[in-house]
């Protein structure tokens, strides 16, 4: 890759960090760019290199959100561990499963998310009138960590988005707080997938580290903007990103 290719990837990683910090979906920016500048790259190597950058970015997001948003660490940290194991399992299954089967399913889920958020504008904008019980919080967070964590290792696009909408709809969590919770779980899933890809030789560490610095910068900027602008801003960005993901996946699948 030449200097222009590196510059394109750094720019993509910065944008992905910002988007990931607010609503998730940064992988749909970085992965196509990687395949564009390095057409011969193996899918596992592209995913592994992206995970190095994404792990750095989500870690920065967690630290930024944690300063302003209350975190239920006793629930979230074990769930992050579940997500790590699940994502490593998903990463191990990448070469065994036809990923094309998942793209239409993901598109249907994303369209459903957009419809629900559009038709129910109160979701994620205000906290639930009756807070969920601790048992329900533990159950929802643990299941989301396992299922969405596995998906993150297997395919990835929209992991943060799925986590945010899950916490907002099932727990009545306001979008900004849901984003903070999602970053903790996503940090775990990124770590699990990165560990697997690293141990199997599918990470370009020099490139990934460079992208990680850019991703951190974007993630800090995105986290601060989400905290300052509030839930309505996150809701709008969520809808824009979901539509963009549907269009991107649709073009990839049927274009």
């Amino acid at each position: 890759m030449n200097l222009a290719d590196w510059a394109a990837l750094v720019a993509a990683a910065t944008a992905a960090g910002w988007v990931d910090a607010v609503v998730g979906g940064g992988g749909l920016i970085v992965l196509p760019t990687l395949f564009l500048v390095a057409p011969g790259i193996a899918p596992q190597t592209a995913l592994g290199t992206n995970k190095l950058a994404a792990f750095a970015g989500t870690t920065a997001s967690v630290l930024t959100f944690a300063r302003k948003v209350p975190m239920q660490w006793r629930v979230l940290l074990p769930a992050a561990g579940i997500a790590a194991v699940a994502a490593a399992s998903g990463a191990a299954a990448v070469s065994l499963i036809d990923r094309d089967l998942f793209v239409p399913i993901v598109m249907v889920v994303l369209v459903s998310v957009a419809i629900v958020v559009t038709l129910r504008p109160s979701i994620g904008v205000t906290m639930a009138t009756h807070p969920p019980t601790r048992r329900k919080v533990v159950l929802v967070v643990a299941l989301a960590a396992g299922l969405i964590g596995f998906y993150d290792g297997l395919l990835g696009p929209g992991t943060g988005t799925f986590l945010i909408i899950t916490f907002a709809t099932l727990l009545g969590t306001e979008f900004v707080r849901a984003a903070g919770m999602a970053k903790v779980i996503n940090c775990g899933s990124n770590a699990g997938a990165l560990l697997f890809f690293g141990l199997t030789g599918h990470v370009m560490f020099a490139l990934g580290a460079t992208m990680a610095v850019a991703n951190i910068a974007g993630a800090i900027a995105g986290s601060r903007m989400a905290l300052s602008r509030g839930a309505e801003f996150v809701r709008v960005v969520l809808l824009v990103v979901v539509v963009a993901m549907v269009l991107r996946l649709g073009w990839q699948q049927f274009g």
Side-chain angles (χ1 to χ4, degrees):
M1 291 185 290
N2 56 37
L3 186 59
D5 293 335
W6 280 71
L9 286 169
V10 168
T14 304
W18 189 94
V19 171
D20 257 336
V22 181
V23 293
L28 282 175
I29 299 174
V30 174
L31 289 174
T33 307
L34 268 170
F35 287 120
L36 179 65
V37 302
I41 191 172
Q44 292 93 332
T45 303
L47 289 169
T49 303
N50 176 55
K51 285 302 176 189
L52 177 54
F55 173 69
T58 49
T59 300
S61 292
V62 168
L63 296 176
T64 304
F65 274 108
R67 295 190 185 101
K68 300 290 184 179
V69 177
M71 297 283 197
Q72 299 184 52
W73 294 113
R74 292 185 179 181
V75 176
L76 292 173
L77 289 180
I82 294 172
V85 175
S89 301
V94 167
S95 61
L96 303 177
I97 298 176
D98 183 0
R99 291 166 61 211
D100 287 342
L101 296 176
F102 287 84
V103 173
I105 297 174
V106 173
M107 290 177 64
V108 170
V109 173
L110 287 171
V111 170
S112 301
V113 167
I115 292 173
V116 170
V117 173
T118 301
L119 296 181
R120 297 181 62 187
S122 62
I123 289 180
V125 177
T126 57
M127 292 290 289
T129 305
H130 302 288
T133 63
R134 180 174 176 81
R135 177 178 296 180
K136 182 177 181 180
V137 172
V138 171
L139 180 62
V140 169
V141 172
L143 285 175
L147 296 176
I148 301 177
F150 181 83
Y151 164 79
D152 191 23
L154 181 67
L155 192 59
T159 295
T161 308
F162 293 143
L163 288 167
I164 290 172
I165 201 67
T166 296
F167 298 148
T169 54
L170 298 185
L171 298 179
T173 308
E174 181 260 342
F175 272 140
V176 173
R177 184 173 296 187
M181 295 169 61
K183 288 302 103 184
V184 178
I185 306 302
N186 202 184
C187 191
S189 65
N190 282 334
L194 175 61
L195 179 62
F196 176 84
F197 286 127
L199 291 175
T200 54
H202 287 295
V203 178
M204 300 168 65
F205 285 99
L207 177 60
T210 303
M211 292 166 57
V213 175
N215 201 276
I216 289 172
I220 292 174
S223 300
R224 289 177 176 175
M225 190 170 290
L227 289 167
S228 64
R229 296 289 186 88
E232 186 58 41
F233 169 74
V234 176
R235 178 178 179 271
V236 172
V237 177
L238 175 65
L239 285 171
V240 171
V241 170
V242 166
V243 171
M245 283 193 287
V246 170
L247 293 175
R248 177 67 184 86
L249 289 171
W251 177 264
Q252 175 184 317
Q253 183 74 5
F254 307 111

